Amino acid sequence: MKKVILRPSLFALFFILFSINAHSQEVEADSMATASAENAEAASSVVPGGDPEAGEKLFKSLCAACHKPYERAVGPALHGVVNKYDGDFEWLYAWIKNSQKLIKSGDSRAVAIYEEYNQTAMNAFPQLSNQDIDNILAYVEQPKPEPKVAVADNTAAGGQAQGNQISTDLILAILSFVLLLLVVILYLVNKTLNRFAEVNGVQLKSENEQPKKPLWKAYAENGFLVLVTAVVFLLGTAWFGYGYLMQVGVDQGYEPIQPIHYSHRIHAGENKIECKYCHSSARVSKHSGIPSLNVCMNCHKQISKVADETQAKGEEEFNVDYNAEIAKLYEAVGWDKTTQSYTGETKPVKWVRLHNLPDLAYFNHSQHVTVGQIECQQCHGPVEEMEVMYQHAPLTMGWCINCHRETNVKVKDNGYYTKIHEELSKKYNVEEFTAADMGGIECGKCHY
Amino acid sequence: MKYSILFIFCLTLSLSSCADKDDPNYQYFPDMYESLAYETYQEADIFQNEQEAMLPVEGSISRGWMPYDYEDNLEGYDLAKAELKNPLVYSEENLKKGEELYNIYCATCHGKKGDGQGWLVQQEKILGVPSYDDQGRAITEGSVYHVMYYGINTMGSYASQMSEKELWQVDHYVMKLKAELEGKPERAFETEADNEKENEIETEAEEKEVATTE
């Protein structure tokens, strides 16, 4: 109880301190500093003795899994929590340190909030001291920062990018203008010279010139040239004809439009999520399946918006609104962001499959990924750089066979190969075997 | 003649550039290209939602799989935390596999050392990932498995990505990371013989036995 009595005086002291600070900084006209000082001031007016900076660290490591300051997450939004409980810090300390104990003790407010949030239990934090909790509360009680900074950054970045584009366009325009000017000048010079020649009576063309034979006639009369042309023409036709026939049924570069603009570049590239995190069945199954939507929700329960820079980049470079794409995901799984719960109305996402083998070929992911230890990128290309997925390899039979001829079987630490490796290496006096040596290009291995 | 040459040239060129990246290419007599049987993830009218993948009947048990007895609520969590033990032997092999899987599925958030400092946390994409030596949570073998199986609050379930055995292997590795963070001595490896546990699941040694008797 002592603490509660102490509070008003502390409160006054801090208020004065911070208002002095704020004033002096306003004079220095550093708007950023003033803003943060004002935030801190506002926070400390609610939570005396709390240090928002120390609180931020604690909040991000311990609380942010379930709480956001200004939005509802698994737990309620925390901004304004002190006023909600009339500054009853003792109760807040007790709740944060061990909410379950408080509920079991029958505290009416504790039971009420437990019921309100579907009996989701909050973890206990016995390691936090009262001071720590003050710091955290000070952090969440800061007024919501205006998104000024991010917006300013975006426009600056946008302006710069646009500036670059303009400058290259400008250079090109100037160059073409100069070229045009040169042509005009040349024409004019030629015209003037001709006129000079005419005036001076210089004969430009000899008078007794025979009428010229048309070029095509001369060409047609030259048997050798015609022969050469015919040969070149036939070779060219064969070349293009063969080339055309060889690409029938090859889908290399196939890049369909997907129902949700999913970016491998962001997930696998920037965020460095392991390939097998989402395509987990590649380890154990014939199919490396498209992840079901519960895998999306592993992370996107918490990430309902992309970072501002990512959003800006998406709009500028790829013409996508990433946040709207995440909203599509929520619609498909039936996730209600405002209540943080599933509505039960689901509809599957109809992804377009782009790597298609004919049904007459058998391909098994697990024996290539787990046993063969082949990197995903070897067949699917630099997926972590693809904004939109496309087919990297031709997936033709020749491509398969080629790799089987060049790749050695991983016999090490594989009990299945111990005996055959021992015998064959004795017989042929070699250590390494390719997949082809092991029968990897027999018809029945892939075509039953 | 000149024009006909040009025409044929253009024709071959245009034919060879017919393939459009938005659509799959032409096929020549696709005799056995489309499957007559139902392929795993395909779309078909006769199924509910046009989804080929349907759920098994609730309560059915397939071979080599046992349902998880603890319920997805607080009581289940507390119960699992208190009594559930890892049925796998603490062997080097299991630990190695556990590490491999941990680095795929867990390390992005929880960090390679289990200190809650994974890449996504460092990028501030996902926040509030606790360290394994967090006192308030005081994780045990059972609680780790329970959380991986059902998920908890913001963390989702990983039962769809890993099998029961793999979850237990990760469980071993997580407990090892926890011991490392707390500075405890390393746990000695066990052999098959001194592992006599009640809720045993099929281990590799058993599989081998079956293979030899066949």
Side-chain angles (χ1 to χ4, degrees):
Chain A
M1 279 297 118
K2 243 182 188 174
K3 270 181 192 161
V4 180
I5 299 161
L6 263 173
R7 251 160 238 293
S9 60
L10 262 173
F11 164 83
L13 187 77
F14 267 80
F15 189 78
I16 293 162
L17 260 175
F18 272 95
S19 55
I20 291 167
N21 265 353
H23 278 298
S24 63
Q25 272 161 348
E26 255 167 50
V27 174
E28 280 163 28
D30 187 351
S31 65
M32 281 288 291
T34 321
S36 68
E38 272 170 6
N39 282 351
E41 181 195 342
S44 61
S45 69
V46 185
V47 190
D51 174 9
E53 268 177 44
E56 180 174 2
K57 232 182 208 171
L58 285 166
F59 179 83
K60 283 187 173 165
S61 67
L62 295 171
C63 319
C66 302
H67 290 287
K68 288 178 181 170
Y70 314 106
E71 265 174 71
R72 183 181 168 171
V74 174
L78 292 181
H79 185 67
V81 68
V82 175
N83 285 335
K84 189 177 172 192
Y85 294 102
D86 311 318
D88 187 352
F89 283 87
E90 290 307 324
W91 185 85
L92 284 170
Y93 294 152
W95 170 268
I96 292 165
K97 282 179 187 168
N98 198 338
S99 61
Q100 285 301 303
K101 203 170 127 194
L102 203 60
I103 292 161
K104 276 177 193 143
S105 75
D107 186 284
S108 61
R109 278 191 292 193
V111 174
I113 194 161
Y114 184 56
E115 294 299 331
E116 187 186 340
Y117 285 90
N118 310 327
Q119 307 200 334
T120 310
M122 176 168 146
N123 283 317
F125 295 96
Q127 74 269 45
L128 291 174
S129 67
N130 289 357
Q131 179 60 42
D132 287 337
I133 294 175
D134 275 345
N135 292 344
I136 293 172
L137 289 173
Y139 172 68
V140 297
E141 289 297 350
Q142 290 187 78
K144 192 172 183 175
E146 307 256 326
K148 259 184 212 160
V149 189
V151 170
D153 276 351
N154 286 350
T155 48
Q160 208 177 13
Q162 266 181 350
N164 280 340
Q165 213 167 9
I166 285 169
S167 65
T168 47
D169 279 353
L170 204 69
I171 289 168
L172 277 176
I174 291 172
L175 278 177
S176 55
F177 179 70
V178 167
L179 209 69
L180 207 74
L181 212 66
L182 276 175
V183 170
V184 171
I185 289 173
L186 269 175
Y187 174 73
L188 287 177
V189 166
N190 191 25
K191 208 174 163 188
T192 333
L193 281 177
N194 275 343
R195 212 176 289 156
F196 268 117
E198 221 171 280
V199 170
N200 292 344
V202 177
Q203 287 282 327
L204 282 178
K205 286 170 190 166
S206 59
E207 276 168 6
N208 53 353
E209 201 184 345
Q210 285 187 350
K212 250 186 188 167
K213 214 188 259 176
L215 196 66
W216 66 270
K217 221 170 191 176
Y219 170 78
E221 280 168 14
N222 190 333
F224 178 70
L225 265 183
V226 172
L227 186 74
V228 167
T229 321
V231 169
V232 167
F233 168 69
L234 285 173
L235 283 175
T237 316
W239 170 266
F240 283 112
Y242 185 72
Y244 171 69
L245 292 177
M246 287 312 283
Q247 59 81 47
V248 170
V250 177
D251 289 325
Q252 202 166 11
Y254 176 37
E255 190 183 321
I257 295 161
Q258 302 284 358
I260 293 180
H261 180 99
Y262 174 84
S263 169
H264 278 95
R265 176 184 64 84
I266 294 175
H267 291 87
E270 276 179 20
N271 293 337
K272 296 185 185 169
I273 296 171
E274 238 277 351
C275 308
K276 284 165 267 183
Y277 183 94
C278 301
H279 301 284
S280 54
S281 51
R283 294 185 292 114
V284 288
S285 161
K286 169 181 186 289
H287 293 278
S288 168
I290 289 174
S292 50
L293 296 179
N294 71 316
V295 179
C296 304
M297 292 306 284
N298 277 355
C299 301
H300 282 286
K301 228 174 173 180
Q302 205 178 8
I303 304 172
S304 58
K305 275 187 200 150
V306 297
D308 288 332
E309 310 91 69
T310 317
Q311 175 75 355
K313 193 175 178 189
E315 277 171 359
E316 238 167 64
E317 277 186 40
F318 310 107
N319 202 19
V320 226
D321 180 357
Y322 287 126
N323 291 337
E325 301 298 320
I326 295 178
K328 278 190 204 167
L329 163 69
Y330 286 165
E331 204 195 330
V333 281
W335 173 255
D336 189 341
K337 213 164 83 175
T338 48
T339 60
Q340 294 281 317
S341 59
Y342 291 102
T343 58
E345 285 168 34
T346 61
K347 53 168 197 190
V349 179
K350 295 183 180 178
W351 299 103
V352 182
R353 179 176 173 167
L354 48 103
H355 293 88
N356 293 298
L357 279 188
D359 184 42
L360 53 90
Y362 171 86
F363 176 81
N364 187 328
H365 267 98
S366 69
Q367 75 189 68
H368 288 86
V369 173
T370 308
V371 183
Q373 292 163 28
I374 291 176
E375 289 288 313
C376 307
Q377 282 83 352
Q378 199 178 327
C379 302
H380 293 292
V383 178
E384 69 280 359
E385 293 162 12
M386 296 179 190
E387 175 67 18
V388 179
M389 188 69 194
Y390 60 83
Q391 186 174 325
H392 167 80
L395 302 188
T396 54
M397 188 165 143
W399 175 80
C400 293
I401 299 272
N402 195 35
C403 192
H404 277 194
R405 286 201 175 119
E406 286 170 354
T407 313
N408 287 330
V409 177
K410 304 274 181 304
V411 285
K412 209 182 156 229
D413 297 333
N414 190 339
Y416 180 80
Y417 287 122
T418 321
K419 205 173 169 196
I420 192 165
H421 181 249
E422 205 176 281
E423 284 179 9
L424 284 181
S425 54
K426 216 184 282 166
K427 190 173 173 190
Y428 296 114
N429 211 14
V430 278
E431 279 300 305
E432 302 278 354
F433 303 102
T434 60
D437 291 337
M438 292 289 199
I441 54 173
E442 282 162 17
C443 310
K445 289 274 155 65
C446 306
H447 298 295
Y448 310 98
Chain B
M1 188 182 170
K2 201 175 166 189
Y3 283 107
S4 63
I5 292 172
L6 206 70
F7 176 73
I8 292 170
F9 184 75
C10 287
L11 192 76
T12 45
L13 205 71
S14 60
L15 274 177
S16 59
S17 56
C18 264
D20 178 20
K21 69 171 187 170
D22 286 343
D23 292 309
N25 202 356
Y26 294 116
Q27 285 168 344
Y28 178 72
F29 277 82
D31 271 348
M32 299 199 289
Y33 280 31
E34 296 298 322
S35 180
L36 292 176
Y38 288 113
E39 289 280 309
T40 315
Y41 295 107
Q42 79 173 65
E43 202 180 331
D45 296 335
I46 65 161
F47 297 108
Q48 196 188 353
N49 262 342
E50 301 185 346
Q51 252 179 313
E52 201 270 0
M54 296 205 297
L55 291 173
V57 180
E58 210 157 304
S60 57
I61 296 175
S62 61
R63 264 179 198 239
W65 180 82
M66 283 299 279
Y68 181 58
D69 286 334
Y70 298 88
E71 278 174 34
D72 183 14
N73 52 29
L74 213 65
E75 289 84 61
Y77 176 81
D78 288 338
L79 216 57
K81 189 172 185 170
E83 61 180 32
L84 189 62
K85 287 278 171 287
N86 195 331
L88 293 184
V89 269
Y90 190 80
S91 67
E92 199 174 350
E93 191 185 354
N94 280 334
L95 204 64
K96 211 179 125 198
K97 190 81 187 142
E99 179 179 5
E100 195 183 295
L101 291 164
Y102 178 88
N103 285 335
I104 294 174
Y105 296 105
C106 319
T108 24
C109 292
H110 287 284
K112 296 224 160 172
K113 291 189 202 120
D115 53 1
Q117 291 298 316
W119 176 254
L120 287 175
V121 177
Q122 287 170 20
Q123 302 295 301
E124 301 208 344
K125 304 264 179 189
I126 284 182
L127 290 170
V129 181
S131 173
Y132 286 143
D133 58 355
D134 186 286
Q135 298 152 25
R137 285 166 175 90
I139 54 171
T140 65
E141 280 186 350
S143 79
V144 170
Y145 185 82
H146 187 88
V147 167
M148 286 193 289
Y149 197 89
Y150 285 126
I152 190 165
N153 294 338
T154 329
M155 181 176 147
S157 161
Y158 282 78
S160 71
Q161 282 139 293
M162 286 179 270
S163 68
E164 276 83 60
K165 190 183 166 191
E166 287 167 341
L167 287 173
W168 282 121
Q169 284 168 332
V170 172
D171 196 344
H172 267 324
Y173 188 68
V174 167
M175 294 320 282
K176 181 185 171 241
L177 289 178
K178 188 192 176 210
E180 271 172 14
L181 283 170
E182 288 171 342
K184 281 184 186 162
E186 235 171 79
R187 189 176 156 187
F189 289 127
E190 292 170 353
T191 55
E192 201 67 35
D194 39 66
N195 178 49
E196 282 169 21
K197 288 174 181 166
E198 290 160 31
N199 45 352
E200 188 130 11
I201 62 170
E202 210 176 319
T203 60
E204 265 176 30
E206 281 172 35
E207 280 164 25
K208 271 178 202 159
E209 257 171 50
V210 174
T212 46
T213 48
E214 272 172 4

